[in-house]
Amino acid sequence: MGKIEIDPLRWKEEVLKKYPKKVAKKRDKGILVHDGEMPKQIMANVRSIPGIITARGCTYAGCKGVVLGPTRDIINLVHGPIGCSFYAWLTRRNQTLPPTPESENFMNYCFSTDMQDSNIVFGGELKLKQAVREVFEIFKPKSIGIFSTCPVGLIGDDVHAVAREMKEELGINIFGFSCEGYKGVSQSAGHHIANNTLMKHVIGRNDTAPEGKYKINMLGEYNIGGDAFELERIFEKCGLTLVSSFSGNSTIEQFERAHTADLNVIMCHRSINYVAEMMETKFGIPWFKVNFIGADASAKSLRRIAEYFEDAELMARVEEVIAEEMAIVKEAIETVYPRTTGKVAMLFVGGSRAHHYQELFSELGMSTLSAGYEFGHRDDYEGRRVIPTIQVDADSRNIEVLTIEADETRYRPRKTDEEIAALNAKGCGFGEYDGMMADMAKGALIIDDISHYEMEKLIEIYHPDIFCAGIKEKYCVQKMGIPLKQLHSYDYGGPYAGFEGAVNFYNDIDMMINTSIWKMIKAPWQVEPVIEAEYGV
Ligand code: ICE
């Protein structure tokens, strides 16, 4: 089937025409046809329109699932009906190492208070206390996190009071999260709540720094499909000491001493920028964004880290590692490139991957015709320096903004503002427009919080060679004859980060887009009559 050439502006017009007027007016601001110029403005981080099928998740998902979920030895106890726990149980493919005598691993378990009708009517605090005691008795954890689901907020159970009382009684670190699913407009609110609690109750509790000359934290890396394992391998080879990862395969102790690092590098800015900013204010640790998705991007990020430390020995080591790793990457790309070049991708994922993965596709010679986030904020699209986080976050209601002050005894500015500015000028930091848009081509369609209808229209009209999204979209899209790569869980693949990850990705994408199976598929609606509904006006 040949590609239908249709002007993206016309695509947008056609789609909006189908919506009721008010809806069209709102969606108009969330869909942008790129003219190749920056700055650009898009509407993001606003409520989804009721009735539209959105791919978004909830605040609980952002807090329990995303930020705290990948921690291996904090018991994540969910206060709520069992479904909230069950459906968040190991579905994200955040990987972890087996337990050791020093470090437990509770990842395989699913902890919940399993609230029943009577708890909703008479309150669930007693049941929660009972569950905390029970989990402590059985597992003897160092720490317990309590996560609120929607009913908890609706009936007014005080998880923080329970956490305080239990902390006193049991003598371990216990903290609660008011991350009721309905709180924000998406998962993003949950990230913020998780960041606040980590800052209040965990980071900075242990001042023993690990040995190492160049100490870094990797923020916003959740070890999906083993990504963090690959990055750990590279860091070790370069001689960088990883104090903690937030939060793939990490332990409570690593979190507690995160403030002993010299630098925070941020992989997923959307989910963890609050911790980075608060650590900078409190402990003087600078941060910058990195991107280890893509071989070139990985090389660039390593150079950036080495440049930050301004150490000739480290720079030389990093160059050696890059040269060694790139030899394997080059071989892999040469094999697949002739089969992948010129193909078209579309990417709709949460808050950073829809941007980062464009790098990998361009290494394959593929172009990204359309992309968007489910819950990114304006700074993720337009650039962090153009739109300060705090301003963007003004839209997120009910989320506490912590007042953080410098911790005088432990504040040690790793670099002065002038030194940082000089590094930025050298290209060590990121440019002004470090969001998704600046990296996208003229004519690309940027769509925030894409609706199911819009997704179908993209596929119907443009027939991309690959569509990247999640499990909710996967089988609808594949029934339309287009392969879908899950970029949340990586299907059954990965790692895709770093150098070895890039090679895995090249091979997986080559296989997916070049199999002949897609041409043999006829969607059910192509062979059977269907009933179609129209939106009312
Ligand atoms: Fe960041 Mo699914 Fe969020 Fe991360 Fe990002 Fe996505 Fe969420 Fe996953 C996300 S913003 S939507 S923390 S795109 S769970 S990178 S894939 S690991």
Side-chain angles (χ1 to χ4, degrees):
M1 194 185 319
K3 296 211 179 347
I4 301 168
E5 293 294 333
I6 166 167
D7 173 10
L9 277 168
R10 233 191 79 210
W11 179 90
K12 182 176 170 181
E13 221 174 88
E14 294 285 314
V15 165
L16 294 185
K17 252 200 332 229
K18 279 274 180 188
Y19 288 134
K21 255 206 195 115
K22 248 172 103 179
V23 174
K25 205 170 151 205
K26 195 167 177 192
R27 288 305 297 144
D28 182 29
K29 298 188 194 128
I31 304 176
L32 196 134
V33 179
H34 205 0
D35 63 3
E37 304 286 324
M38 290 298 288
K40 278 273 110 35
Q41 191 168 322
I42 192 164
M43 188 168 79
N45 191 34
V46 292
R47 275 187 200 284
S48 304
I49 297 157
I52 268 190
I53 304 176
T54 166
R56 278 175 166 176
C58 67
T59 298
Y60 158 80
C63 182
K64 193 269 175 192
V66 172
V67 181
L68 270 295
T71 59
R72 49 183 283 152
D73 63 352
I74 300 176
I75 284 202
N76 292 325
L77 174 59
V78 176
H79 189 31
I82 192 65
C84 299
S85 237
F86 182 77
Y87 291 108
W89 186 19
L90 291 181
T91 49
R92 189 162 165 244
R93 295 192 72 241
N94 42 274
Q95 300 197 347
T96 183
L97 291 173
T100 63
E102 301 78 45
S103 165
E104 297 270 18
N105 189 332
F106 304 121
M107 199 86 84
N108 290 335
Y109 294 94
C110 176
F111 301 99
S112 169
T113 53
D114 183 22
M115 277 179 126
Q116 302 292 317
D117 308 19
S118 61
N119 309 124
I120 305 290
V121 177
F122 300 108
E125 287 180 16
L126 282 178
K127 193 171 193 187
L128 176 60
K129 278 185 213 171
Q130 184 58 28
V132 173
R133 287 192 189 106
E134 203 177 304
V135 89
F136 178 74
E137 223 162 81
I138 301 172
F139 295 98
K140 296 281 176 317
K142 293 180 188 134
S143 176
I144 301 173
I146 302 168
F147 298 85
S148 308
T149 58
C150 292
V152 172
L154 296 174
I155 65 174
D157 273 4
D158 188 346
V159 298
H160 304 287
V162 172
R164 275 195 303 273
E165 197 186 319
M166 288 294 104
K167 185 175 176 178
E168 186 100 330
E169 184 181 311
L170 304 174
I172 58 164
N173 193 4
I174 303 180
F175 36 85
F177 298 85
S178 289
C179 55
E180 288 84 352
Y182 57 75
K183 266 214 158 153
V185 303
S186 69
Q187 291 96 312
S188 176
H191 302 146
H192 198 159
I193 292 164
N195 281 216
N196 284 353
T197 303
L198 283 171
M199 205 60 202
K200 267 203 251 177
H201 295 280
V202 183
I203 298 165
R205 282 166 59 100
N206 181 345
D207 285 331
T208 37
E211 290 291 310
K213 209 165 159 194
Y214 322 104
K215 290 197 280 283
I216 61 170
N217 293 315
M218 180 83 180
L219 268 52
E221 171 47 62
Y222 303 99
N223 206 17
I224 312 300
D227 276 354
F229 294 151
E230 162 68 355
L231 300 183
E232 282 165 19
R233 179 187 75 84
I234 298 170
F235 291 158
E236 203 185 315
K237 226 171 144 183
C238 293
L240 296 162
T241 304
L242 192 61
V243 181
S244 72
S245 271
F246 281 76
S247 50
N249 189 41
S250 49
T251 64
I252 180 99
E253 260 151 16
Q254 288 166 333
F255 284 162
E256 286 174 346
R257 55 188 201 178
H259 64 295
T260 62
D262 303 306
L263 172 70
N264 282 333
V265 295
I266 312 235
M267 188 69 175
C268 169
H269 174 261
R270 178 66 274 130
S271 59
I272 204 104
N273 68 80
Y274 316 96
V275 159
E277 284 177 20
M278 288 188 277
M279 281 178 81
E280 183 167 32
T281 312
K282 189 164 177 183
F283 303 110
I285 305 173
W287 60 273
F288 52 76
K289 282 180 164 187
V290 287
N291 177 16
F292 283 98
I293 303 297
D296 288 338
S298 298
K300 211 157 126 193
S301 295
L302 284 177
R303 289 195 177 110
R304 201 162 269 164
I305 295 170
E307 265 171 36
Y308 171 82
F309 286 106
E310 293 180 286
D311 182 303
E313 192 191 323
L314 177 65
M315 287 186 199
R317 181 73 198 125
V318 160
E319 288 308 326
E320 268 171 47
V321 172
I322 293 173
E324 207 181 298
E325 299 282 334
M326 275 303 198
I328 302 152
V329 170
K330 214 169 147 249
E331 212 185 292
I333 200 78
E334 273 166 12
T335 321
V336 300
Y337 195 87
R339 294 193 292 264
T340 53
T341 185
K343 307 263 183 190
V344 169
M346 292 186 176
L347 295 79
F348 292 90
V349 214
S352 64
R353 293 185 170 182
H355 176 203
H356 287 167
Y357 275 79
Q358 293 187 26
E359 292 260 359
L360 271 173
F361 282 117
S362 69
E363 287 174 9
L364 287 165
M366 296 173 62
S367 55
T368 302
L369 183 61
S370 187
Y373 301 125
E374 285 169 29
F375 51 76
H377 295 202
R378 275 184 56 200
D379 55 347
D380 301 308
Y381 286 105
E382 298 171 35
R384 166 176 53 99
R385 298 203 193 147
V386 189
I387 322 279
T389 307
I390 211 74
Q391 184 191 326
V392 191
D393 263 21
D395 311 344
S396 311
R397 281 141 284 192
N398 303 331
I399 315 300
E400 186 188 5
V401 176
L402 296 186
T403 322
I404 300 287
E405 276 163 21
D407 178 338
E408 276 170 27
T409 52
R410 294 186 290 178
Y411 187 90
R412 51 178 184 115
R414 276 62 170 181
K415 288 221 190 289
T416 63
D417 288 351
E418 292 76 50
E419 283 168 328
I420 298 263
L423 284 170
N424 282 343
K426 273 204 307 190
C428 175
F430 273 74
E432 218 177 354
Y433 306 117
D434 60 358
M436 171 199 285
M437 283 178 176
D439 290 338
M440 293 192 72
K442 193 173 167 185
L445 264 163
I446 299 155
I447 307 175
D448 182 61
D449 184 20
I450 192 171
S451 74
H452 188 90
Y453 171 69
E454 291 157 13
M455 181 184 81
E456 282 191 350
K457 283 292 160 204
L458 274 180
I459 292 172
E460 199 183 300
I461 307 230
Y462 292 107
H463 309 291
D465 296 289
I466 193 160
F467 200 88
C468 299
I471 190 68
K472 297 190 287 279
E473 298 85 13
K474 184 167 176 96
Y475 298 101
C476 313
V477 171
Q478 293 198 161
K479 281 178 190 168
M480 294 173 93
I482 306 288
L484 186 142
K485 181 71 195 162
Q486 289 190 66
L487 281 191
H488 301 261
S489 69
Y490 299 166
D491 293 304
Y492 310 98
Y496 292 141
F499 301 103
E500 287 183 4
V503 174
N504 289 338
F505 193 78
Y506 302 153
N507 292 333
D508 286 357
I509 296 302
D510 175 33
M511 262 194 301
M512 286 185 85
I513 62 179
N514 288 309
T515 168
S516 52
I517 195 84
W518 306 111
K519 295 189 189 81
M520 300 174 192
I521 287 181
K522 276 251 178 286
W525 54 88
Q526 288 173 306
V527 284
E528 292 160 20
V530 288
I531 301 171
E532 267 196 21
E534 287 261 333
Y535 283 92
V537 255

